[in-house]
Amino acid sequence: MTGKSPPGLRENWYLRGRLRLRHLKLVVDLEETHHVGETARRLATTQPAVSKMLAELEALMGAALFTRTPKGTFATPYGQTLIRHARWILGDLDRLGADCMAEADAGRERVVLGTNSSSAAFLVPQALLALRKRAAEVSLVVREGSLETLMPQLQTRQIDLVVARLEDFSAHSELICIPLRQEPMCVVTSCSHPLAGRKKCTWAHLTQYPWILPPSGSPVRKALDLLIRREGIPVDSYIESASAMTNLMLMDHSDHLSILPMGIARYHEARGALAILPVRLADIFAPLGVLRHSRLELSVGMQQVIDALMEVAQSSGPS
């Protein structure tokens, strides 16, 4: 518990002897649903049983963990502390089960790496090749998704590392940010687009066509929205998509424009898959980097993955 302990708070040995995994699952489910009935359904039990278990847990902790209101059941500050630790413990157990089941990788450390599509398209595959060349005893599991979906998994230690644009994470004191490199962004479209092949493009040209934008709230989208407001020209027609494959298919069969990291765009341009438009975007996009949880011990395998990512980032340099 943080701050001054409540009068009835038990000693650690007492908690270790009486606290059960079902207690931890209860508080996590109740925090997610804010509803005793839905929590009972998740736990395959009854509402009276949930209420009884919660009362037992509060007696064990010596503090009120939840308060009931007309709008639902919400955690107290002590409840929030227990919920945070419950998520860590349950996440660690999930990882333990996955590691034990990975019989094919016996003797190899399992590292789970989360990444968004922009990072996955270049840095992560190259880092995988670098790890293979080093014959590192690491089994790397890659989970691709938006920061919105990856961050909760990192904070509950279901993911070891996340590769993404490093926006302002100062509010997350439990996260450690490791910068990799600064990478500029560029505007891209299909090779058959009316703007492809032009020697000069302006924002006025770009607003004549529909866009494929990064998801709202993502670091790249925040910076792009800032640029659009700065230019004073609204983008009225757009699709939001974080899928690199979907975006390439959309551009290939329409006149949509999109935005990509320069290194990835040059790779696809060399393959004849898209065209980079001659529009310079201001350098306001956050650098790529690695995020890890400060309370998750940095293992040998995790350090090897970080080293491989840094090697790739430094060897390719800014695009």
Side-chain angles (χ1 to χ4, degrees):
M1 293 280 181
T2 58
K4 186 178 179 181
S5 300
L9 183 64
R10 306 299 187 180
E11 298 293 340
N12 286 340
W13 67 266
Y14 190 85
L15 289 180
R16 290 176 182 176
R18 299 287 301 279
L19 193 63
R20 299 288 181 261
L21 291 179
R22 194 166 178 82
H23 290 140
L24 303 181
K25 186 70 166 60
L26 166 67
V27 296
V28 169
D29 285 349
L30 195 52
E31 168 66 8
E32 291 177 354
T33 65
H34 302 296
H35 193 275
V36 172
E38 177 60 22
T39 299
R41 189 193 66 79
R42 289 189 178 190
L43 295 175
T45 188
T46 63
Q47 292 189 40
V50 167
S51 297
K52 181 181 179 180
M53 190 174 4
L54 180 57
E56 292 172 347
L57 180 57
E58 289 182 325
L60 173 63
M61 300 299 297
L65 302 176
F66 287 86
T67 57
R68 291 194 179 188
T69 73
K71 295 184 178 180
T73 302
F74 296 90
T76 66
Y78 291 115
Q80 290 289 352
T81 299
L82 178 59
I83 289 164
R84 184 171 69 253
H85 285 275
R87 283 177 170 153
W88 290 344
I89 294 168
L90 294 173
D92 287 344
L93 288 174
D94 287 342
R95 289 288 310 283
L96 173 62
D99 289 347
C100 290
M101 290 294 291
E103 296 179 1
D105 291 324
R108 299 172 67 88
E109 181 183 344
R110 182 175 180 268
V111 177
V112 183
L113 176 68
T115 182
N116 59 25
S117 57
S118 295
S119 304
F122 183 82
L123 279 178
V124 172
Q126 294 296 320
L128 281 167
L129 294 175
L131 281 170
R132 186 173 182 180
K133 288 180 181 177
R134 296 178 181 182
E137 293 297 315
V138 177
S139 175
L140 188 60
V141 179
V142 180
R143 293 182 184 171
E144 185 174 337
S146 66
L147 277 181
E148 184 179 13
T149 59
L150 295 175
M151 291 307 294
Q153 296 179 63
L154 179 66
Q155 290 170 329
T156 55
R157 301 191 290 207
Q158 298 175 62
I159 288 179
D160 296 309
L161 307 167
V162 168
V163 179
R165 293 267 173 181
L166 297 180
E167 57 176 345
D168 184 13
F169 290 102
S170 58
H172 302 279
S173 59
E174 293 167 343
L175 298 182
I176 294 175
C177 304
I178 307 169
L180 291 174
R181 75 176 187 188
Q182 185 70 45
E183 186 172 29
M185 305 292 290
C186 62
V187 180
V188 298
T189 189
S190 69
C191 295
S192 60
H193 194 279
L195 295 180
R198 289 182 64 99
K199 294 183 178 180
K200 184 177 181 180
C201 282
T202 65
W203 276 97
H205 291 122
L206 303 183
T207 55
Q208 296 174 16
Y209 298 93
W211 278 72
I212 305 168
L213 298 179
S216 296
S218 65
V220 172
R221 177 64 180 276
K222 290 177 183 177
L224 182 59
D225 285 346
L226 179 62
L227 285 179
I228 291 173
R229 289 195 299 271
R230 180 184 295 178
E231 295 296 328
I233 304 175
V235 175
D236 296 321
S237 177
Y238 63 87
I239 295 172
E240 286 190 10
S241 170
S243 169
M245 182 60 69
T246 297
N247 297 351
L248 286 172
M249 290 291 290
L250 281 171
M251 286 187 290
D252 199 37
H253 293 86
S254 70
D255 57 358
H256 279 80
L257 308 175
S258 190
I259 184 171
L260 281 177
M262 184 63 78
I264 299 171
R266 285 176 174 168
Y267 171 79
H268 287 296
E269 184 181 51
R271 297 172 58 246
L274 54 75
I276 300 174
L277 299 184
V279 178
R280 185 183 180 280
L281 302 182
D283 190 17
I284 64 172
F285 296 91
L288 290 173
V290 183
L291 295 168
R292 73 177 185 88
H293 200 296
S294 62
R295 297 198 182 189
L296 181 61
E297 182 179 355
L298 185 61
S299 66
V300 173
M302 290 168 61
Q303 186 63 62
Q304 289 177 326
V305 173
I306 293 172
D307 290 344
L309 287 165
M310 294 186 71
E311 175 187 317
V312 172
Q314 292 171 3
S315 63
S316 53
S319 301

